[in-house]
Amino acid sequence: MPPESISTRKAEHIALCETDEVAFQRKSTLLEQVELVHDALPEMALADVDLSCDYAGKRLRAPLFIAAMTGGTDQAEEINRDLALVAERHGIGFGFGSQRPLLQEGLTKGYQVRDVAPTTLVLGNIGLVQARESSTDALRRMCDSCGADALVVHLNPAMEIIQPGGDVDFREGLQTLERLVRELERPVVVKETGCGLSRSVGQRVAELGVEWVDTSGAGGTSWVGVEALRARGAQRRLGDRFWDWGIPTAASVAQLADLGLGICATGGLTDGLDVAKAIALGARVGGIARSFLQARARGGVEGLDAEVEQVLAELRFAHLLTGSRTPDELRQRPLVLGERLRRWVPTGCSLEARC
């Protein structure tokens, strides 16, 4: 694929994701099915809340990511530098969008942020098919070139099938992940792209030695929907039919919660209370993408900074109101789950005992 085609696709992704056109149509994250139990006697001050945590080998000041969105275009250069700058200010994580343009075409726009984010946990990002077709050394060089601390390998069969000219062969995925865990010498994060990770997928990757996952569940941005809006004819009809395909984000976290994986909950999270609910379900951190991208589109870097401040204030307040000094304590607090979400909770898992 020529560089111009990759750049055009990435630019179209940005334009679509700055709107609400690409949201799931009928399916939610199911985070509205999670109730945190109020503690009217928390016996602590707001200042006692310590949000710091570890993810993918690095310490964060709060369990929050500016999640993967874009790269590979002139527009992405400015966006990602702003996103990374704000991540550095707050000591939270930052993830690149797909780095296929960097790996295959050498397009560096949007992937150089270390000068504005020298200490930030930065996640690289490549599709499983591209990882399969690349040597470990090529992927290591890609990570080195952008200063990535860890590599996200995204699984996206639904999106690729709808994408014009997308991949259709998803074989040797487990073999590829096993190779990278063994050879890459960086943490490997297994991520979906809007359709969620099931318990079965979590079990299979954990058996390979994968320690970190990102749900990217249903209920936020539908990447099938993104590609449907770019497609034509029968491909467009197929995308419309599967627009709402996937496992809701809260359900994906519940499916993975007791597998010993470090979970990043993404997919439709929009505020600090969403992040708190995801952590209470078992996530290590939560990630927000489209809401942060939209905040930047409305108010520039300062608008984005204010949005992150608001999310962190809400997350800290939720800890106080549940009597939780740390995210680890929040993961032990009682929960009330709605019936639709309870159906996703695996029988006999530790989450059942807290409900």
Side-chain angles (χ1 to χ4, degrees):
M1 182 180 295
E4 293 78 12
S5 297
I6 293 178
S7 296
T8 298
R9 185 171 75 241
K10 297 304 179 185
E12 289 175 353
H13 286 173
I14 294 170
L16 288 167
C17 290
E18 286 182 340
T19 74
D20 290 322
E21 292 181 52
V22 294
F24 276 76
Q25 296 171 335
R26 293 170 298 279
K27 184 172 288 185
S28 78
T29 64
L30 291 186
L31 286 167
E32 77 280 0
Q33 293 267 302
V34 181
E35 290 286 344
L36 305 180
V37 178
H38 178 57
D39 185 345
L41 280 171
E43 292 292 336
M44 58 184 287
L46 187 60
D48 293 332
V49 175
D50 177 4
L51 294 177
S52 62
C53 68
D54 295 309
Y55 191 81
K58 227 170 183 180
R59 192 74 173 168
L60 304 177
R61 295 209 304 267
L64 181 65
F65 261 83
I66 298 178
M69 184 60 68
T70 188
T73 70
D74 290 339
Q75 186 182 7
E77 177 84 359
E78 184 179 351
I79 290 172
N80 277 347
R81 288 176 66 80
D82 285 352
L83 299 179
L85 173 65
V86 172
E88 179 77 14
R89 285 181 184 175
H90 295 280
I92 60 177
F94 165 75
F96 288 118
S98 173
Q99 294 182 293
R100 184 175 180 176
L102 176 61
L103 177 68
Q104 295 186 338
E105 306 294 345
L107 299 177
T108 60
K109 292 293 187 181
Y111 302 123
Q112 303 302 315
V113 301
R114 274 304 183 192
D115 59 317
V116 297
T119 68
T120 297
L121 171 55
V122 173
L123 302 182
N125 189 335
I126 197 68
L128 182 60
V129 172
Q130 287 68 54
R132 181 191 67 198
E133 296 172 351
S134 302
S135 69
T136 304
D137 191 53
L139 294 170
R140 187 182 297 111
R141 289 196 302 271
M142 182 192 77
C143 290
D144 288 342
S145 73
C146 63
D149 298 293
L151 179 63
V152 169
V153 180
H154 64 259
L155 320 179
N156 61 343
M159 176 187 177
E160 286 288 341
I161 292 294
I162 305 305
Q163 181 178 290
D167 297 311
V168 295
D169 182 355
F170 308 100
R171 291 173 292 187
E172 300 180 15
L174 289 172
Q175 179 180 330
T176 300
L177 292 173
E178 183 178 31
R179 167 172 61 90
L180 294 179
V181 169
R182 184 177 66 250
E183 298 178 0
L184 190 60
E185 299 162 351
R186 278 179 173 85
V188 173
V189 182
V190 173
K191 176 187 187 302
E192 236 289 341
T193 53
C195 294
L197 297 175
S198 68
R199 186 173 183 80
S200 171
V201 168
Q203 289 170 329
R204 282 180 279 166
V205 301
E207 288 172 0
L208 301 177
V210 170
E211 298 180 41
W212 311 97
V213 292
D214 181 339
T215 59
S216 191
T221 298
S222 169
W223 283 95
V224 171
V226 170
E227 297 301 348
L229 291 174
R230 299 180 60 249
R232 298 290 182 271
Q235 206 73 359
R236 172 63 183 264
R237 295 200 306 273
L238 190 64
D240 287 342
R241 181 72 66 194
F242 284 84
W243 190 296
D244 274 9
W245 181 266
I247 303 168
T249 298
S252 185
V253 175
Q255 290 263 302
L256 303 172
D258 67 342
L259 297 180
L261 295 163
I263 303 167
C264 178
T266 65
L269 279 69
T270 61
D271 55 44
L273 186 53
D274 281 346
V275 176
K277 289 179 177 181
I279 291 170
L281 283 171
R284 185 77 61 89
V285 297
I288 296 176
R290 187 155 53 100
S291 293
F292 284 159
L293 187 65
Q294 291 174 332
R296 181 196 172 275
R298 291 191 304 268
V301 69
E302 296 311 318
L304 171 63
D305 189 79
E307 187 72 12
V308 172
E309 286 273 14
Q310 180 68 25
V311 168
L312 292 174
E314 293 164 354
L315 181 56
R316 190 172 290 107
F317 195 28
H319 277 70
L320 173 74
L321 294 180
T322 55
S324 306
R325 285 174 169 78
T326 66
D328 283 341
E329 289 188 6
L330 182 57
R331 277 187 287 273
Q332 305 304 316
R333 295 293 179 256
L335 292 170
V336 177
L337 303 185
E339 184 56 35
R340 288 167 58 211
L341 180 55
R342 287 183 69 91
R343 291 199 294 267
W344 287 94
V345 176
T347 302
C349 83
S350 58
L351 192 57
E352 279 191 319
R354 295 169 52 212
C355 300

